[in-house]
Amino acid sequence: MPRGSNAKRERQYEHIKESARDRGESNKRAEEIAARTVNKERARSGESKSASKTSTQDMSSGKRGGQRSGKGSQGPTYDQLYEEAKRRNIDGRSDMNKQQLQRALGGK
């Protein structure tokens, strides 16, 4: 648990850590995710002594949800690719699989 935290942040930390464990993260990784998230929220709300620009100006962790989930080893999800194809008005997108959507969008 990050130093200088209050009871609310401790509960938040435990909740995030348990959620990460439920998703299959190791205990060490779950603790890291929870600590980083709580520290960022503390910085955003002015509870910490110092804060980086990204901590204070980026969207909140709760609002962001899984919006950046496509940055991992698997790449963007099918739904993310489909939405991008829809935005670009690519014909035939509803009949395409993930690999075809990637090619149509200029990927692999």
Side-chain angles (χ1 to χ4, degrees):
M1 182 62 217
R3 280 183 269 139
S5 297
N6 59 28
K8 175 185 175 183
R9 297 299 181 203
E10 288 180 25
R11 287 190 308 273
Q12 183 183 35
Y13 172 84
E14 290 301 323
H15 177 75
I16 295 167
K17 187 169 76 169
E18 288 303 314
S19 294
R21 281 190 196 149
D22 291 344
R23 290 191 314 270
E25 300 288 350
S26 69
N27 191 44
K28 185 177 179 180
R29 179 70 177 141
E31 289 174 354
E32 179 183 355
I33 291 168
R36 287 174 184 256
T37 304
V38 169
N39 282 334
K40 184 168 189 170
E41 292 304 314
R42 287 179 62 225
R44 290 182 59 76
S45 62
E47 296 172 30
S48 62
K49 291 181 181 177
S50 62
S52 69
K53 194 173 186 179
T54 55
S55 289
T56 56
Q57 294 181 356
D58 197 10
M59 72 174 76
S60 73
S61 306
K63 183 177 179 183
R64 183 174 60 245
Q67 290 182 354
R68 296 183 183 160
S69 63
K71 304 289 189 218
S73 62
Q74 297 292 316
T77 65
Y78 172 84
D79 291 335
Q80 290 169 328
L81 291 168
Y82 182 83
E83 288 303 315
E84 179 63 19
K86 184 176 175 183
R87 190 180 69 75
R88 294 189 196 178
N89 203 24
I90 293 177
D91 290 332
R93 65 184 173 268
S94 60
D95 295 324
M96 295 181 187
N97 62 29
K98 182 176 178 179
Q99 192 173 40
Q100 291 167 328
L101 284 168
Q102 285 174 322
R103 273 188 253 131
L105 291 167
K108 298 175 189 176

